[in-house]
Structure formats: C-alpha cells, structure tokens
Amino acid sequence: QLFAFLTCEPNGVVRSIHPKAMPVILTSATDIDTWLSADWPEARHLQRPLDDDQLIELDVEAPPPRTAEQTAAYEALRQAFDRSEPGER
C-alpha cells in the first residue's frame, strides 16, 4: 500500500501553530474526484490552503491521567506487540 499527503502554505489559522506548511484539505466532491482522477497539470490547482473561515482552532484539554488498570493494560498490549512478528501485527 502507498500513502501520501500534499502540503501547501499554511492559512492564517494554521500559521500560528505551524508556520511552514499545512496539509491540503479537499472540501468538495468535485475536488476529491479531480484529485483522484485528473492528471497533475489539472489537479495541481488543488494545492492551496483552506480559507481561514473554513478552519477553527479548538482548545483541547490534556487527557486525564491513566488509572493503574489502564496503565497495566497498555503495558500488556505493548509487550505483546513487541514479542509479535511483523506479519502478525
């Protein structure tokens, strides 16, 4: 499988968090279809920042600390993953 993402100059909302770039966000079915089916000369116009009024920054609280039971379950899963073979993951 192959995955990729396209970046562009940041819009005003993202620039304060990440001044170098932001991911391109496609918001219409037409743009998505163009991205998936058009040749680069046609699709390249999609490499643009989302308008500032289409994206908001949310205040997010830090997640609560894990309980002892959650920590033990996480450690058990991590250890099982570490012991597994790549094809089993």
Side-chain angles (χ1 to χ4, degrees), residues 3-4 8 10 12 20 22-23 28 30-31 38 40 43 47 56 73 80 82 85:
F3 300 92
C8 60
K20 185 176 178 182
M22 69 178 284
S28 73
T30 301
D31 286 351
W40 178 244
Q47 189 176 13
I56 60 170
D82 289 346
E85 295 295 322

Side-chain angles (χ1 to χ4, degrees), residues 13-30:
V13 177
V14 174
R15 188 174 295 112
S16 65
I17 300 165
H18 196 283
K20 185 176 178 182
M22 69 178 284
V24 171
I25 302 172
L26 304 178
T27 60
S28 73
T30 301

Side-chain angles (χ1 to χ4, degrees), residues 6-8 24 26 31 34-35 38-49:
L6 184 64
T7 61
C8 60
V24 171
L26 304 178
D31 286 351
T34 300
W35 177 250
D39 291 331
W40 178 244
E42 182 182 350
R44 69 182 292 156
H45 78 277
L46 298 172
Q47 189 176 13
R48 65 188 186 285

Side-chain angles (χ1 to χ4, degrees), residues 26-80:
L26 304 178
T27 60
S28 73
T30 301
D31 286 351
I32 293 168
D33 184 58
T34 300
W35 177 250
L36 293 174
S37 61
D39 291 331
W40 178 244
E42 182 182 350
R44 69 182 292 156
H45 78 277
L46 298 172
Q47 189 176 13
R48 65 188 186 285
L50 197 61
D51 291 337
D52 288 352
D53 65 348
Q54 293 184 303
L55 190 64
I56 60 170
E57 181 180 354
L58 298 175
D59 290 328
V60 179
E61 294 181 20
R66 290 188 182 133
T67 64
E69 293 82 13
Q70 290 170 326
T71 299
Y74 170 80
E75 287 300 319
L77 285 171
R78 188 182 59 75
Q79 290 172 9

